[in-house]
Amino acid sequence: MAANEEEEGTSPLLSKEEERRHHPGCPGCDHDRRKDLQTGLPYKEFSYVWMICLTTALPISSLFPFLYFMIRDLHVAKRTEDIGFYAGFVGASFMFGRCLTSTLWGIAADRIGRKPVVVFGILSVVIFNTLFGLSVTYWMAIATRFLLGALNGLLGPMKAYAIEVCRPEHEPLALSLVSTAWGIGLIIGPALGGYLALPAEKYPNIFSPDSLFGRFPYFLPCLCTSVFAAIVLISCIWMPETLHKHKVSDDGNQSVEALEAHLIDPKEEVGQSNSSNTKKSLFKNWPLMSSIIVYCVFSFHDMAYTEVFSLWAESDRKYGGLSLSSEDVGQTLAITGASLLVYQLFMYPSIIKVLGPIKSSQIAAVLCIPILFAYPYMTYLSGPGLSIVLNIASVIKNNLGPQNQRGAANGLAMTGMSFFKAIAPAGAGIVFSWAQKRQHAFFFPGDQMVFFLLNIIELLGLVLTFRPFLAVPEQYERN
C-alpha cells in the first residue's frame, strides 16, 4: 500500500515535470525532446555553430591586410603620413557599431528567437560586406563597416545556441567550437585579404585592369566572404530554433559564463549567480570591477596592436615601416592565427593548470614588452631574414597575449570590451599618423613612439594584475 501511495504521489509530479518541459507548439520544447532522444553528438547543429561563428570572424580578420592600401587608393589622405589616421576610423567603425547594438541583439534573440537574429545577422554580412568591397569613397567605407557591425549580432546568440543544442555532457565542446571557429577565421581571413586584394596588380593574366575586380581592387576578398556567408544563410533554412516560446526557469541564465570559466580553470566555481541577486551593488563589487578593468585594458591593447601592426608593416621604409605587400602581411597574420589556434587548444590549458591564469598572464605581459620594443628595428632587415623574424615575433607576441579574463566575462565586461575595442583602432590610427610625421624627433622618433605607447598600455595592464588593485579570487591564489 505504501508503494502504491508513493507511486500515486510521484506520478502527478512526473507528469507535471513533463508538461513543464514539453509545451505543444514550442520550438524549444520540440528541440529538447529530440535532444533527449539523441545519444551521440549533434553534428548538424554543431556545424551551424561553427559556420556561423566563422562568418562573423571573416569580415573582421580579412580587413587588416589591405586596409592601408584601400585608404591610399580612396585618396582621402592628403599625405602618406595621414593614411593611418583615416584607416583607424574605418577599423573602429565596425566595433563601434557592434558596441552600440550587441546588447539589443541579445535581448532580441531572447524574445523572438535565435534563428531570426542569426539569419538577419548573416544577411547583413552578405549585403554590407559586399558593399564595403565596392566602396568608392571614404565615407561609404565608414558607413558600410558601421552598419556591418551594428546589424551583425551573431556572437552572443550563438554562444547561447551552442549550449542549447546539445546534452549537458557536450556543452564544453559546443562552446569550444565558438573559439575554434574564431581561430580558423584568424587564419582564413588574413589569407583572403592578403592574397585576393588588388588582383589586377598581382594576377594580371587573370584579371584585367578594366574588369570589375580591376576597377574595385578590394572587392574580391569581400566577395569571397559574402559568398560563403550566402551559402551559410541558405543552409540556415534547416537550422532548428531552440528558444522556448513560454516562460521558463531562469536557472540556466549563467550557464554560458559558468561553462566558459570552467573551460579556463576546471577547478573554478563561478559565483556569478549571486551577482544577479545583488545588481544594485554590482559596481561596489571590487573583485568583479577590478577584473573587468584589467580585461578592458588588455582588450584595448590587443585591438590597437592589430591595427598598428598592419599599418606599420605596409608603410614605406622612409616612414619607419617595412614596405610589405598585402599578401606578405596576410601571410604573416595567417601564420600567427594558426599558431594561436594551436597554442590555445593544446598548450594554454596545460600552462593554466601549472601557473594559474593570473600568474601566466603576468609572465606573458613581461615577455611581450621587449618583443614590442624590437619591432621598429626590423626595418634594418630585408629579404627572407625579415620575413622569418617578423613571423616569429608576431607568433610569439600573439601567443603570449594575456588571456586570464577571456571567456569568464559577464555582460558588463563584454560591454566594456566592445567599447575599448571600438576606440582602440581610431586611437591607434591617430597615434600612428602622428608618429610618422616625427621621423627625426629626439625622443622615440617615428614608429618607435607607437610601440613605446603600446608597451605603456601593456605595462599598465601588467601593473593592474597585482595587488592591491586586482582582488585575486581564492581559487587563483592557490596556483
Side-chain angles (χ1 to χ4, degrees), residues 71-135:
I71 299 301
R72 179 200 65 185
D73 293 343
L74 289 176
H75 304 294
V76 65
K78 296 181 180 179
R79 296 184 298 176
T80 303
E81 301 96 308
D82 295 329
I83 290 178
F85 176 86
Y86 293 99
F89 289 102
V90 175
S93 56
F94 178 94
M95 293 297 176
F96 183 64
R98 191 175 72 172
C99 175
L100 293 179
T101 62
S102 58
T103 302
L104 297 178
W105 284 119
I107 295 173
D110 287 337
R111 292 190 177 182
I112 65 176
R114 319 299 189 206
K115 186 173 180 177
V117 171
V118 167
V119 168
F120 188 84
I122 299 175
L123 181 62
S124 72
V125 173
V126 175
I127 296 174
F128 293 106
N129 193 63
T130 302
L131 290 176
F132 175 72
L134 295 171
S135 296

Side-chain angles (χ1 to χ4, degrees), residues 31-38 163-167:
H31 186 270
D32 285 347
R33 187 181 296 110
R34 293 191 298 269
K35 183 170 64 175
D36 292 339
L37 298 174
Q38 192 172 37
I163 65 171
E164 290 169 349
V165 297
C166 62
R167 298 171 66 89

Side-chain angles (χ1 to χ4, degrees), residues 3-77:
N4 292 337
E5 289 178 356
E6 183 178 351
E7 185 176 346
E8 290 176 0
T10 305
S11 296
L13 291 177
L14 289 174
S15 61
K16 286 181 180 179
E17 177 67 16
E18 189 71 18
E19 182 181 353
R20 185 186 71 81
R21 290 186 59 195
H22 301 295
H23 288 68
C26 173
C29 289
D30 291 341
H31 186 270
D32 285 347
R33 187 181 296 110
R34 293 191 298 269
K35 183 170 64 175
D36 292 339
L37 298 174
Q38 192 172 37
T39 55
L41 290 172
Y43 292 104
K44 174 186 173 182
E45 288 78 7
F46 277 4
S47 65
Y48 281 117
V49 173
W50 193 85
M51 290 189 301
I52 292 170
C53 290
L54 182 59
T55 302
T56 305
L58 289 179
I60 301 174
S61 59
S62 62
L63 170 70
F64 294 104
F66 63 80
L67 178 58
Y68 181 90
F69 301 106
M70 186 179 193
I71 299 301
R72 179 200 65 185
D73 293 343
L74 289 176
H75 304 294
V76 65

Side-chain angles (χ1 to χ4, degrees), residues 300-301 304-305 308 312 368-377 431-432 434-435 438 443-460:
F300 180 91
H301 178 274
Y305 168 80
V308 164
W312 165 73
C368 281
I369 290 176
I371 293 174
L372 280 175
F373 264 125
Y375 269 55
Y377 300 100
V431 171
F432 180 82
W434 166 71
R438 51 187 306 278
F443 182 72
F444 290 113
D447 293 337
Q448 291 185 27
M449 175 59 73
V450 177
F451 291 102
F452 170 73
L453 294 177
L454 282 176
N455 265 331
I456 293 296
I457 300 171
E458 184 85 14
L459 182 61
L460 174 62

Side-chain angles (χ1 to χ4, degrees), residues 50 53-54 57-58 61 176-190 333-342 344-345:
W50 193 85
C53 290
L54 182 59
L58 289 179
S61 59
S176 69
L177 286 175
V178 177
S179 58
T180 302
W182 187 266
I184 297 296
L186 292 180
I187 302 171
I188 300 176
L333 294 178
I335 293 174
T336 303
S339 69
L340 183 60
L341 180 63
V342 172
Q344 289 182 333
L345 290 178

Side-chain angles (χ1 to χ4, degrees), residues 150-165:
L151 301 178
N152 183 357
L154 293 174
L155 192 56
M158 284 314 299
K159 282 187 175 183
Y161 185 83
I163 65 171
E164 290 169 349
V165 297

